[in-house]
Amino acid sequence: MLENLNPEQKLAVTSTEGAVLVLSGAGTGKTRVLISRVAYILSTRLTKPWQIMALTFTNKAANEMKNRIEQISGGAWNAFDLWCGTFHSICLRILRFNSERAGLRKDFLIFGEDEQKAVIKTVFNNLNLDLKEYSPSEWVEKISGVKDKGLGHRVDAKIKKIYDAYNSELTRMNAVDFGDIILKVLELFENAPDVLEKYQRQFKYIMVDEFQDTNDSQHQFLKKIAGANGNICCVGDDDQSIYSWRGAEIKHILGFDKTYPGAKIIRLETNYRSTENILRAANSLIKNNNGRLGKDLRAAPGVGDGEKVCALTLPTNWDEARIISDSISKNNNGRNYSDFAVLIRAGSLSRIFEEEFAARRIPYRLVGATKFYDRLEIKDAIAYIRLLVHPFDDLSFLRIIAKPRRGFGNIAIAKLRDFGKNFMAALRAAPLSGRQRIAADEFLQAFDFDWGLMSPVDAAEQLLEDSGYLKMWQESKEVDAADRILNIKELLSNVISKYDNLSEFLEHAALMMTDDNDTEDGILVNNAVSIMTIHAAKGLEFDTVYMPAWEEGIFPNEKAIDGGGIEEERRLAYVALTRAKRHAIISNTLSRMVFGQPQYNAPSRFISEINREFLNIQGGETYRVQKPKLNTSYKNVNRMPKKETVVGNLASHDELGRGVIIEDNGEILTIAFRNKGIKKVARNFVKIGAY
């Protein structure tokens, strides 16, 4: 397990005692290090599998880790005895085992975003707040933000009333939300020191993947659980911290040695993915960030320099899509389309590539489309099953009572509240008549069978059949009805069938709905070009990566420019560059249609921050270089004149604002202003080169 490791990896694996931070750059083999470290600890008999806690950010990563450790062991130990999983799954396990000490019933429900919105709407109605003025989505985000801050965080006075009412409603419904899963474990440890001490004694070694993505509550959990022996190893990369909008705090990795005094910091800098020129370009870009822990990626021996990073300036976004399509068509001889990826800063930029690829019959896959567990029919099916297992689950009742329609509208539902503690009980007791009584009895009858004696898949299938849900889609005229039926069958045959009981399946489904992986199922399938946001591409790699729309206002975006978020945007650019193995192509355009309006953006500052030595500049005068050599893959590029000029430079005018110079006639400059269109301006009224 040590023979295939380089010296820095071997040091990370064998440094088992005390606090260790492994700074793992892109493509440096962090997964191998984590797996080898667990295997090393077990093979040297430092501890037992159940005394190791390994925390990841996706269920896929946790399962991969367990499977690979199991393979290494050759049967010497059972890797599935490890406490290996996401923060949510590990904390949920602790919470289930100690539910009464945590003030919960053992059969508590886990509410996802849809259920949270429904609870918020109930709270707004109870408080007589206008739904038009109060967005449930925004309030779910605010409440989650409070809980992600962990213990000791004071609730803003403006939201405390709604926050408290929301939590009271969760308690009434015997439910927790995803923020609660970790927060309530922290409260448990605070209020029951003996429980904390038990887990501190149990876990001799703690390992954390993607440490730079931890939020405050996760960080507090780690500090508490590692308190006894301090054998905690965190693997992460401050240069790839790109999830602040999801609550991640880069300060945790930057201040690791302050949290754990005497901690050892080990840098993994040998990259096994990219060529030297790509890595040097990425290094030169990220060095513009302040406060880094610092490291320089270098290519593995034998990889070589490779091509320079190509920087293209093009007239319009249509030219950009055309040139990228041309390049893929010309270069895919003998190569798979799946070797190519188009990485975009925002999802709205995908449309033009979808249209161009479709017109040229280039197969593509839009990564980050609706995840399996986010699909309407899957959520409906899970709601049916939840109501079967937990008849008190009012939110699941409200979701499915009208699927198919049964004549229970808002007025009828409001009346039901007077006849029972929950809607299922009320439906049985309410004095209904005529069609409503018949519909209610048919609905209740679908749930009245001894499902505990059946296999989970048979019970679920019978419920969906008897309730009329499957029939609803079979008779539907919607164009995607057949696909929805196939998805339900996939749920039954390939997901539920893996579980011993429906309760286990429901817990799995709840955790999948909070999985932090942005890509659909976390995998790339089919021989197709991948179009995805840079966030979705983290952790992936491709032979050739196209990075369009590197323009001020788009990347970095306007919010980052105005709000001080440039460093995270630069880290995102670094992530994009380091996805490429052999070919990296950055592009910007002089004119771009954005939401139906022409926009004139200056080239991204990130292009000029990359050392020119590692760039092959084509199609423009962003750097005013002489006679750039044109790569044969891009012969159709429309290039600007090669004379010494300020065309392509940033410009600003006191009244007209920001823009990019598109024509230089000596004393008169033609400038495409972001908000004022194209104007001719006297040169001495313009600041050139910076905003």
Side-chain angles (χ1 to χ4, degrees):
M1 66 192 67
L2 297 179
E3 57 271 14
N4 295 321
L5 302 178
N6 65 38
E8 56 205 37
Q9 290 174 331
K10 192 176 295 184
L11 179 62
V13 167
T14 56
S15 298
T16 58
E17 305 308 303
V20 178
L21 174 63
V22 180
L23 276 181
S24 178
T28 57
K30 71 178 180 65
T31 303
R32 173 184 284 188
V33 165
L34 276 169
I35 290 166
S36 299
R37 196 172 196 274
V38 173
Y40 178 79
I41 288 170
L42 292 175
S43 65
T44 53
R45 299 185 179 181
L46 291 173
T47 195
K48 305 293 185 184
W50 55 88
Q51 294 176 309
I52 296 176
M53 178 184 288
L55 291 153
T56 67
F57 273 83
T58 69
N59 292 294
K60 178 177 177 285
N63 290 331
E64 180 186 357
M65 183 180 292
K66 285 185 280 192
N67 287 328
R68 286 175 62 177
I69 292 169
E70 188 76 12
Q71 291 170 7
I72 293 173
S73 77
W77 58 77
N78 186 354
F80 286 79
D81 286 338
L82 293 167
W83 279 54
C84 180
T86 64
F87 278 91
H88 284 105
S89 67
I90 294 295
C91 286
L92 181 58
R93 187 172 174 180
I94 294 172
L95 210 53
R96 287 282 185 209
F97 192 79
N98 301 277
S99 56
E100 291 186 5
R101 299 288 299 275
L104 296 166
R105 278 171 31 199
K106 197 169 186 65
D107 59 349
F108 64 83
L109 298 169
I110 305 166
F111 282 176
E113 188 174 345
D114 283 356
E115 291 87 3
Q116 288 178 272
K117 288 178 185 175
V119 173
I120 286 289
K121 287 178 182 178
T122 299
V123 168
F124 289 170
N125 285 330
N126 292 343
L127 296 176
N128 295 317
L129 299 174
D130 188 348
L131 284 171
K132 294 178 182 178
E133 295 183 22
Y134 290 80
S135 164
S137 296
E138 289 180 9
W139 275 91
V140 166
E141 189 174 332
K142 286 180 182 179
I143 289 170
S144 297
V146 170
K147 294 185 178 183
D148 285 346
K149 292 293 183 183
L151 294 179
H153 179 69
R154 296 184 62 182
V155 180
D156 190 300
K158 294 180 181 178
I159 72 169
K160 191 175 190 315
K161 185 176 182 180
I162 294 174
Y163 180 81
D164 290 344
Y166 168 84
N167 286 328
S168 295
E169 190 68 9
L170 287 185
T171 301
R172 185 187 71 79
M173 301 177 79
N174 187 37
V176 298
D177 61 23
F178 286 116
D180 281 331
I181 291 174
I182 299 175
L183 185 60
K184 287 192 176 295
V185 169
L186 292 176
E187 291 173 350
L188 171 69
F189 288 167
E190 190 82 3
N191 299 326
D194 59 309
V195 175
L196 172 60
E197 186 182 352
K198 181 186 76 170
Y199 287 112
Q200 286 177 334
R201 285 199 311 268
Q202 176 181 340
F203 296 114
K204 307 295 185 188
Y205 293 94
I206 297 161
M207 275 162 272
V208 188
D209 192 11
E210 304 287 7
F211 180 63
Q212 77 280 351
D213 294 337
T214 53
N215 62 33
D216 284 336
S217 66
Q218 292 162 342
H219 193 236
Q220 289 175 27
F221 172 76
L222 291 174
K223 285 196 294 183
K224 284 183 177 295
I225 209 76
N229 53 53
N231 288 338
I232 182 170
C233 174
C234 296
V235 181
D237 183 2
D238 55 318
D239 291 334
Q240 296 187 75
S241 179
I242 58 175
Y243 293 114
S244 65
W245 50 274
R246 213 158 60 186
E249 295 279 5
I250 193 173
K251 65 184 180 183
H252 299 152
I253 190 168
L254 295 178
F256 186 84
D257 57 347
K258 294 182 179 64
T259 304
Y260 303 99
K264 179 183 287 188
I265 298 179
I266 300 168
R267 289 169 171 80
L268 305 185
E269 297 176 304
T270 303
N271 177 285
Y272 293 90
R273 174 187 301 154
S274 306
T275 59
E276 193 68 39
N277 273 323
I278 291 173
L279 296 177
R280 288 170 178 167
N283 288 337
S284 67
L285 170 64
I286 200 63
K287 280 180 179 176
N288 288 278
N289 272 5
N290 297 314
R292 298 171 58 234
L293 292 173
K295 66 184 177 315
D296 278 324
L297 296 181
R298 57 182 178 272
V303 172
D305 288 346
E307 293 180 2
K308 293 182 178 182
V309 174
C310 187
L312 295 171
T313 298
L314 299 161
T316 71
N317 53 325
W318 288 106
D319 295 298
E320 185 176 54
R322 175 175 57 82
I323 292 299
I324 289 174
S325 299
D326 280 346
S327 174
I328 292 171
S329 297
K330 290 173 182 175
N331 287 306
N332 78 322
N333 292 333
R335 295 166 65 190
N336 292 323
Y337 282 110
S338 56
D339 288 335
F340 301 90
V342 179
L343 304 188
I344 50 181
R345 177 60 185 89
S348 59
L349 295 167
S350 73
R351 182 191 59 81
I352 194 168
F353 293 101
E354 293 181 66
E355 292 181 10
E356 190 70 21
F357 289 173
R360 292 170 181 254
R361 297 190 175 182
I362 296 174
Y364 70 89
R365 179 176 184 268
L366 189 62
V367 180
T370 305
K371 297 180 191 176
F372 184 76
Y373 286 90
D374 287 343
R375 292 167 185 166
L376 177 142
E377 66 277 11
I378 300 303
K379 287 185 174 183
D380 288 347
I382 290 172
Y384 265 105
I385 296 167
R386 277 196 2 178
L387 191 59
L388 178 68
V389 177
H390 304 292
F392 57 84
D393 183 0
D394 282 354
L395 293 188
S396 290
F397 178 93
L398 291 172
R399 182 180 183 95
I400 63 176
I401 188 61
K403 297 179 179 181
R405 293 186 179 182
R406 298 182 174 90
F408 285 87
N410 292 336
I411 295 174
I413 293 295
K415 290 180 180 178
L416 279 180
R417 293 186 182 277
D418 298 329
F419 294 96
K421 290 183 178 179
N422 57 69
F423 283 124
M424 284 294 272
L427 198 61
R428 296 180 190 278
L432 305 174
S433 59
R435 290 182 180 178
Q436 272 195 338
R437 185 72 265 169
I438 294 171
D441 289 343
E442 287 176 348
F443 179 75
L444 292 167
Q445 190 174 352
F447 292 85
D448 286 341
F449 65 101
D450 203 345
W451 54 271
L453 300 178
M454 302 170 66
S455 72
V457 66
D458 287 343
E461 188 168 15
Q462 179 175 319
L463 173 64
L464 296 176
E465 286 278 6
D466 291 353
S467 65
Y469 187 73
L470 280 175
K471 185 180 179 182
M472 179 187 80
W473 287 118
Q474 288 161 354
E475 295 178 350
S476 173
K477 304 297 183 191
E478 292 188 21
V479 292
D480 58 354
D483 289 337
R484 294 187 187 277
I485 292 171
L486 288 175
N487 288 334
I488 294 170
K489 288 182 178 178
E490 172 75 10
L491 179 74
L492 293 168
S493 59
N494 289 332
V495 181
I496 297 177
S497 60
K498 296 178 181 177
Y499 292 88
D500 294 331
N501 58 67
L502 288 175
S503 294
E504 286 183 7
F505 158 70
L506 289 174
E507 197 147 292
H508 163 80
L511 291 171
M512 287 302 295
M513 289 175 183
T514 189
D515 203 327
D516 289 331
N517 200 4
D518 283 335
T519 59
E520 183 182 8
D521 299 329
I523 57 174
L524 299 177
V525 296
N526 302 327
N527 184 22
V529 179
S530 294
I531 306 173
M532 67 180 82
T533 64
I534 303 170
H535 283 101
K538 187 170 178 290
L540 303 177
E541 58 185 43
F542 303 90
D543 181 87
T544 303
V545 172
Y546 300 92
M547 293 162 275
W550 278 41
E551 296 152 24
E552 291 290 304
I554 295 178
F555 193 31
N557 62 28
E558 206 65 63
K559 184 178 179 181
I561 292 171
D562 296 335
I566 292 296
E567 293 213 345
E568 181 155 337
E569 290 285 286
R570 190 177 288 112
R571 292 194 290 270
L572 199 56
Y574 173 83
V575 167
L577 273 171
T578 54
R579 299 312 94 196
K581 294 181 183 178
R582 295 196 302 150
H583 309 285
I585 301 95
I586 297 167
S587 58
N588 67 281
T589 67
L590 298 178
S591 172
R592 180 177 300 278
M593 293 296 289
V594 178
F595 302 120
Q597 298 295 321
Q599 198 173 88
Y600 307 97
N601 301 313
S604 171
R605 68 191 70 192
F606 300 148
I607 301 176
S608 62
E609 289 174 356
I610 298 173
N611 191 319
R612 298 185 196 183
E613 183 183 347
F614 312 124
L615 285 178
N616 177 10
I617 302 158
Q618 301 183 47
E621 290 297 326
T622 303
Y623 295 93
R624 302 194 297 281
V625 294
Q626 292 185 354
K627 297 181 181 179
K629 294 179 181 179
L630 188 65
N631 187 306
T632 55
S633 300
Y634 307 97
K635 289 181 180 177
N636 293 324
V637 175
N638 294 321
R639 287 176 287 171
M640 302 292 289
K642 295 300 179 288
K643 64 181 181 180
E644 191 72 23
T645 176
V646 294
V647 169
N649 273 267
L650 311 177
S652 65
H653 185 277
D654 289 344
E655 294 181 6
L656 298 173
R658 306 169 179 174
V660 59
I661 300 167
I662 61 176
E663 189 176 346
D664 179 358
N665 290 321
E667 294 306 311
I668 300 296
L669 300 176
T670 304
I671 302 175
F673 290 99
R674 283 184 56 77
N675 300 317
K676 300 293 184 179
I678 298 175
K679 306 285 185 185
K680 291 186 183 295
V681 184
R683 194 184 197 101
N684 59 346
F685 286 101
V686 175
K687 293 179 183 177
I688 300 172
Y691 286 153

